[in-house]
Amino acid sequence: MPILLFLLDTSASMNQRTYLGTTYLDIAKGAVETFMKLRSRDPASRGDRYMLVTLEEPPYGIKAGWKENHATFMNELKNLQAVGLTSLGQALRTSFDLLNLNRLVTGIDNYGQGRNPFFLEPAIIIAITDGSKLTSSSGVQDELHLPLNSPLPGSELTKEPFRWDQRLFALVLRLPGATAVEQDQLNTVQVDESPITPMCDVTGGRSYCVFSQRMLNQCLESLVQKVQSGVVINFEKSGPDPPLTEDGAAEAVKTVGPQPWHNCRKLIYVRPNPKTGVPLGHWPIPESFWPDQNSPTLPPRSAHPIVKFSCTNSEPMVIDKLPFDKYELEPSPLTQYILERKSPHTCWPVFVGNSAKYSELGHPFGYLKASTALNCVNLFVMPYNYPVLLPLLDDLFKIHKAKPPLKWRQLFETYLKSMPPYYIGPLKKALRMMGAPNLIPENLEYGLSYSVVSYLKKLSQQAKMESDRVIGSIGKKFPQETGIKVRNGTSIPSLAVRKDFKQLLQEITGEMPQRMLELNMKEFAGFQIALLNKELKPQTFRNAYDISRTNLLDHLTRMRANLLKSSRKFFSGQDEDQMHSIPIVQMGNYQEYLKNIPSPLRELDADQPKRLHTFGNPFKLDKKGMMIDEADEFVSGHQNKHKRPGEPNMTGIPKRRRCMSPLLRNRSQSPVANNHIGGKGPPSPATQASPDLQKPGAINKRMFDADLLLYVGAYICCFTT
C-alpha cells in the first residue's frame, strides 16, 4: 500500500501570481489533483493512502494523516491559504515523523535482526514549493536544516529522520509573471538549485525545476512512474575496476578519478506476490555490526544500507530447493555499466562492512548479475557466506543422502559460528523446506539480549501512545493571535521622564517648530498591535473603522435616518438585504446552526420520544420498513410511532385512501378496527380510543368539505381558461 504524502508550501510567497493569472498556491493545488487523476489510471492505485502536510507549526500542519478519508483530504486541500513563514525544515521533519508513527509498533524495521526488503511501507513525499528563501522566527537560512530533536520514540535508532523505503521529490515552481518562450521550449526538466535538492538526493529522489504549465504536467507524469514498491540501497565499489576481455586477452580499464557507477544510491524493486499481493522473501540484508548478546543497547543504523560490490567475476551459485530472493535494480550508471559488459553468465559478489565477527569487509550475502536478455540487472540475496554453505548442502543431499557424517557436522558448526545469529531462523526454515529439519540444534541462541528486547518493547508502547496523540490532534485549528506584543524597553526611559518633555509639549501644541524625532516602539510599555480577526462580524454602527470605503455614503445615509427617526425602537445599522444575505454554499448548512444554538432544556417526560427536525424536507421519515407500498395500516402505525409531543393518539381512526374523485369520499365510513402491522394480534376496537378525541364522523366530514372546496376551485379554473 503506497503512501503519497503531499507537502505544500503555504508561506506568504506562494501568493505571487504567474503569467497564467493564478497564484503559486493555486497551481500547487491543481498539481495535486492532476497527479491523483494520473495515478488513478493504474489499477494498483486502489490501495493508495494520501496525506497532506503544510508549513504550519506542528501539529497544526498535518491536515490529513492516517485516519482521514479522501473527502477530508480534498476539503483540506481546497481550504489551504498562503500565510506564514517558509519553515520547510520543520515541515519535513513533521512529515517523516508522521510516516514513522507505526513502524515501531509493527516491527517493520526489525532493529538488530537484519534488514528485510520484503518488510516495507513504501512512501513518496512530493513537496511543492516556490524555492524562495527559508525563513523562520530566528531569521533567514541559507541551507535546509531539519530539527534534530524528535518527539517520536525510537528515532535515535536510525541516524537519519527518514527510512530506506521513503523518498522525497520536490516540484520547485519557477513560473514567471510573463511568458518566457525560451524556457517553455525546453525538452528536459532540469534539477533545481534550491536548498531542498540535496535532501531529495539523500533520500533517493530528485527535484524538478518547473518553468511552465506544460513542464509541470510532464513532471507529474514522471512522478507517477516513480511510485514503485522498493527500498533504496547505497551501492559502493570495493577493490579495483574489473578487467575487460577482448579477443581472449584481459585488459584492465584505466580510468582517471571516480566514475559515476562507483557509488550509486538507487532503488531495488520489491515486487508483491501476484497471488497474495504482499511481498515475500527469505533472507535479510546483514547489519553493519556483529550483534553482541551481552550488549544492553543497539548501535544506530544508517537509513540506507551500504552494500559494497567486488568487481571480481564469479560464477552464480544456486542449488536445488534452496530459496533465494531476486530484486531488480532501478536504472542507474551501475546497471548501465554492467549491461554494457555483456556478461550475463558472470556475477559480482556483494558485502556489508563489519557484518562478520572477525572480518572488516564481511562475507558475501549475494551477488549482482545481468539478466540473460541483458535488459536489467538483478540483486540475488542468498544465505550469509553462501560460497561456504552451498557446497556443504550440495554434498549433504547428493553424496551423504541427508545423513551427515561427523566431519561434515564439524564444518557446518564452523559455518554457523561465522554467520550472524539472526540468520539462524531463516536458515532453519530453508532447511525444513529442503528436507533436513534437524541440522540446527534447538538450544542455539539467536535472539537479542534481554535488555534490548525490553527496551524495544518499551519503545513500541511509547510509540503507540504517541501515535494516538498525533492522530487525535489532526484537524485542530491553529489558535488565532489577538495581537502582536511589543517587547518592553528596559534601558530606554519613557518620554515623560525626559528633560525636554516641556519642549516636546510645545512642539505638539504648535508653539515651537517640530523637530525630527525618532520614536522607538520599545519605549511603549505593554504596547500591542492588533490583528484582524476574520471570524468577528463587523459592527459598523459602533466602529467606524469597520465600514468599507465603498459603503461610507450608504452608511452615512442610514445614520442620518436613524437620527431623524428617533421614535423608532431599533436602529438600522445595515441594509435589510445585507442582514439576511449569506453565501449560497452556507444556505442549507442547518447542522452548523444547530451546533451554535444553546442546548434546550430537558423534557419533563423522559420517556417521551424526541422530535425529529425535518429541515429541508418536510416529508423526512424513518426509512425502516419503507419497502411496503400503499399499506394504510403501516402508515398509520409508522406515523403514530413518531408522533409529536402534545398530539392526540390517532389509534383506532381509519385512514382514508386516495381516490381520483372527491365525490367518492362522501360516503360516511363507519369506524372499523385497525389491524396491527403485519396482521398479527387481535383487532383493537374503535371504542378503545382516547375519550378526548373527536368523533371519526366529524373528522371525515371536515376532510370531505376541504376536498370539495378544492374540487370546486379546480373546476372554476378549468372553466375560466
Side-chain angles (χ1 to χ4, degrees), residues 660-673:
M660 296 300 296
S661 173
L663 296 178
L664 299 177
R665 302 172 185 157
N666 58 352
R667 302 173 184 177
S668 60
Q669 302 177 4
S670 59
V672 294

Side-chain angles (χ1 to χ4, degrees), residues 279-352:
L280 298 178
H282 302 88
W283 307 105
I285 296 177
E287 300 277 0
S288 60
F289 60 90
W290 182 265
D292 188 4
Q293 294 287 338
N294 300 322
S295 177
T297 58
L298 284 175
R301 64 159 59 153
S302 59
H304 300 151
I306 301 176
V307 175
K308 298 182 179 181
F309 59 91
S310 176
C311 299
T312 56
N313 294 330
S314 306
E315 292 293 331
M317 301 178 65
V318 175
I319 63 174
D320 295 338
K321 297 182 180 180
L322 180 67
F324 61 89
D325 301 331
K326 180 181 177 182
Y327 305 105
E328 180 185 347
L329 269 69
E330 184 184 14
S332 63
L334 175 60
T335 59
Q336 181 181 358
Y337 181 82
I338 295 177
L339 294 176
E340 288 176 353
R341 289 172 50 83
K342 297 181 180 180
S343 300
H345 302 293
T346 60
C347 63
W348 290 351
V350 291
F351 310 83
V352 171

Side-chain angles (χ1 to χ4, degrees), residues 343-376:
S343 300
H345 302 293
T346 60
C347 63
W348 290 351
V350 291
F351 310 83
V352 171
N354 301 319
S355 60
K357 192 172 185 179
Y358 302 109
S359 176
E360 182 178 356
L361 181 60
H363 299 293
F365 68 92
Y367 50 83
L368 293 173
K369 179 183 174 298
S371 62
T372 308
L374 294 176
N375 54 4
C376 65

Side-chain angles (χ1 to χ4, degrees), residues 613-634:
H613 79 83
T614 56
F615 180 83
N617 184 7
F619 305 102
K620 184 177 180 181
L621 295 173
D622 191 6
K623 294 184 179 180
K624 297 179 181 178
M626 293 300 290
M627 298 300 294
I628 305 174
D629 193 14
E630 299 291 334
D632 291 341
E633 294 85 3
F634 169 74

Side-chain angles (χ1 to χ4, degrees), residues 77-354:
L77 177 67
K78 181 184 66 174
N79 295 331
L80 291 182
Q81 296 181 355
V83 291
L85 303 175
T86 315
S87 54
L88 193 57
Q90 178 64 56
L92 278 174
R93 184 75 200 205
T94 303
S95 303
F96 287 129
D97 289 346
L98 177 63
L99 294 175
N100 299 331
L101 272 180
N102 300 321
R103 297 183 76 94
L104 268 179
V105 180
T106 58
I108 195 174
D109 287 321
N110 203 29
Y111 287 107
Q113 302 284 334
R115 304 171 187 252
N116 295 315
F118 44 90
F119 288 169
L120 78 165
E121 204 172 52
I124 289 183
I125 300 178
I126 303 176
I128 307 179
T129 177
D130 59 347
S132 59
K133 288 289 186 179
L134 304 178
T135 56
S136 62
S137 57
S138 59
V140 181
Q141 302 173 356
D142 296 331
E143 296 180 355
L144 181 64
H145 296 285
L146 273 67
L148 298 178
N149 53 346
S150 173
L152 189 64
S155 58
E156 67 276 4
L157 295 176
T158 307
K159 298 178 182 178
E160 295 86 0
F162 52 86
R163 303 296 183 264
W164 65 340
D165 52 0
Q166 301 168 0
R167 292 176 293 163
L168 173 63
F169 294 89
L171 295 173
V172 185
L173 304 179
R174 303 288 187 183
L175 281 74
T179 307
V181 182
E182 298 82 2
Q183 296 173 350
D184 193 49
Q185 292 178 352
L186 293 176
N187 295 325
T188 60
V189 181
Q190 303 295 329
V191 176
D192 195 77
E193 297 180 355
S194 58
I196 198 175
T197 300
M199 191 66 190
C200 296
D201 297 336
V202 168
T203 59
R206 61 158 295 182
S207 63
Y208 299 88
C209 189
V210 181
F211 288 104
S212 63
Q213 183 66 38
R214 182 185 63 84
M215 191 177 294
L216 178 61
N217 296 333
Q218 181 181 351
C219 296
L220 293 174
E221 293 178 358
S222 174
L223 280 176
V224 171
Q225 303 299 325
K226 300 288 186 182
V227 183
Q228 299 287 344
S229 177
V231 294
V232 178
I233 294 180
N234 192 5
F235 293 96
E236 290 185 0
K237 184 183 72 70
S238 176
D241 290 351
L244 283 180
T245 58
E246 296 180 359
D247 299 331
E251 180 183 357
V253 180
K254 296 182 180 179
T255 56
V256 179
Q259 299 298 313
W261 61 272
H262 288 178
N263 193 340
C264 290
R265 185 184 287 107
K266 288 298 180 180
L267 190 78
I268 61 170
Y269 300 122
V270 183
R271 308 293 186 187
N273 190 6
K275 296 182 180 180
T276 61
V278 180
L280 298 178
H282 302 88
W283 307 105
I285 296 177
E287 300 277 0
S288 60
F289 60 90
W290 182 265
D292 188 4
Q293 294 287 338
N294 300 322
S295 177
T297 58
L298 284 175
R301 64 159 59 153
S302 59
H304 300 151
I306 301 176
V307 175
K308 298 182 179 181
F309 59 91
S310 176
C311 299
T312 56
N313 294 330
S314 306
E315 292 293 331
M317 301 178 65
V318 175
I319 63 174
D320 295 338
K321 297 182 180 180
L322 180 67
F324 61 89
D325 301 331
K326 180 181 177 182
Y327 305 105
E328 180 185 347
L329 269 69
E330 184 184 14
S332 63
L334 175 60
T335 59
Q336 181 181 358
Y337 181 82
I338 295 177
L339 294 176
E340 288 176 353
R341 289 172 50 83
K342 297 181 180 180
S343 300
H345 302 293
T346 60
C347 63
W348 290 351
V350 291
F351 310 83
V352 171
N354 301 319

Side-chain angles (χ1 to χ4, degrees), residues 409-437:
R409 286 186 177 275
Q410 291 176 354
L411 294 175
F412 186 69
E413 289 178 1
T414 304
Y415 164 76
L416 291 179
K417 293 179 181 179
S418 66
M419 181 187 66
Y422 46 81
Y423 271 90
I424 294 179
L427 185 57
K428 278 185 178 181
K429 184 178 179 181
L431 292 176
R432 193 181 305 114
M433 295 170 59
M434 298 178 69

